[in-house]
Amino acid sequence: MPQNEQMIEFWNGPAGEAWARNADDLDRELRDLGDAALDALAVTSGESVLDVGCGPGTTTVALAERVGAAGRMVGIDISAPLLAVGRQRAAGLANVSFVEADAQTVVPPGAPFDAVFSRFGLMFFENPEAAFANLRAASRSDGRLGFVCWQQPDANPWFLAPMMAIVGLPGVDPPPPPGPDDPGPFAFADPDRVRRILGAGGWREIDVQAYQDEIVDDLDRRTEFSLRQGPAARVLASADEAIRAAATERVRDALGHAADGSVVRLGRAAWIVTARA
């Protein structure tokens, strides 16, 4: 099965449904990173913007507020469950529309756009060079691109610690990590690769800036969230109660090493990328 078909199946199956259920919590997790990329893109009133991998529409609505009534927003995603949330959130906004399609190959209605944006929605392309060329084709001459993507896993203990904690539990078989050029959350961890891909897609004036912060959370809440959403949750989806109980103890213990009392601090590292068409 081609990778894009796998991604469509993935984001329309249990993973997409879980993300839709947990959209509010995930938005709180990702808000600061998304805002940093929004600020870097610096859209202005009256512009038309394409939000790629728009998910539940959070950034689409935020951009709609920035471009104002004279502007226009189009959110594109392959996940029907997430788009359903987005349409609900954007109800009543006349300058917002959504398209269920693959941004790798589809130029959505409303092109060409003044700007293209994404919050962690670009790392799953089967052929990223062709995908960014397609996004370039959807942009106006001198249009702008801005997105946020993750740095390498070892710079993101919020992601790595829960997953590593459950390795070795009976019946728990994490999938092998993807290769550095394979689609996935960390496909754009290498900034030189990002520059090569964007350059091959016709983008110029490429700038990659580091962004770092911390998740500060209650230890019990962070443990519960780590087992409800993310890679550890997916691996444990079919586990029985005994294994889940053991996983909870392991994850809580692992996160406890990053805690001061009941408050856990976990580092995050991302890239804020901007370019021009």
Side-chain angles (χ1 to χ4, degrees):
M1 182 186 295
Q3 185 67 45
N4 61 328
E5 291 185 19
Q6 291 181 4
M7 287 295 105
I8 290 169
E9 182 177 301
F10 179 83
W11 287 107
N12 284 282
E17 292 165 359
W19 195 287
R21 286 194 304 273
N22 296 317
D24 290 342
D25 287 342
L26 287 160
D27 284 337
R28 282 189 288 272
E29 290 272 311
L30 301 175
R31 181 176 294 117
D32 289 347
L33 298 120
D35 285 350
L38 286 170
D39 291 343
L41 184 60
V43 300
T44 58
S45 177
E47 289 194 307
S48 61
V49 185
L50 177 64
D51 188 5
V52 181
C54 64
T58 312
T59 50
T60 317
V61 171
L63 281 159
E65 294 172 354
R66 296 190 182 208
V67 302
R72 179 167 44 84
M73 279 304 310
V74 176
I76 184 171
D77 204 291
I78 59 174
S79 174
L82 288 169
L83 286 171
V85 178
R87 291 187 175 101
Q88 185 176 38
R89 288 177 168 182
L93 296 178
N95 63 340
V96 175
S97 61
F98 293 98
V99 179
E100 183 180 343
D102 187 350
Q104 293 189 90
T105 55
V106 172
V107 174
F113 296 93
D114 296 304
V116 176
F117 175 81
S118 186
R119 186 186 73 179
F120 300 110
L122 302 177
M123 305 95 69
F124 300 92
F125 291 137
E126 174 194 8
N127 185 337
E129 291 86 356
F132 278 97
N134 188 59
L135 295 176
R136 169 65 183 82
S139 303
R140 296 188 190 281
S141 175
D142 206 38
R144 308 188 312 286
L145 171 70
F147 65 91
V148 58
C149 58
W150 295 116
Q151 295 186 31
Q152 65 272 20
D154 60 9
N156 284 283
W158 69 271
F159 177 95
L160 204 58
M163 192 65 181
M164 295 301 295
I166 65 172
V167 171
L169 281 172
V172 173
D173 187 21
D181 294 342
D182 292 336
F186 299 100
F188 288 174
D190 179 356
D192 290 333
R193 180 172 187 251
V194 172
R195 294 185 185 96
R196 289 195 301 270
I197 288 170
L198 266 62
W203 296 90
R204 57 189 176 85
E205 297 181 29
I206 301 160
D207 185 55
V208 183
Q209 296 291 328
Y211 176 98
Q212 293 178 306
D213 68 5
E214 285 185 322
I215 293 173
V216 181
D217 202 354
D218 174 79
L219 177 56
D220 289 335
R221 183 168 54 237
R222 175 54 38 180
T223 300
E224 186 274 334
F225 181 83
S226 298
L227 293 165
R228 173 165 49 91
Q229 183 70 33
R234 289 194 290 274
V235 170
L236 292 167
S238 60
D240 63 28
E241 288 303 314
I243 295 299
R244 294 189 66 83
T248 300
E249 290 303 313
R250 284 196 179 198
V251 170
R252 192 180 192 284
D253 182 64
L255 296 178
H257 291 296
D260 179 10
S262 64
V263 177
V264 63
R265 295 178 178 273
L266 297 165
R268 300 192 297 189
W271 301 118
I272 307 296
V273 182
T274 56
R276 283 197 176 271

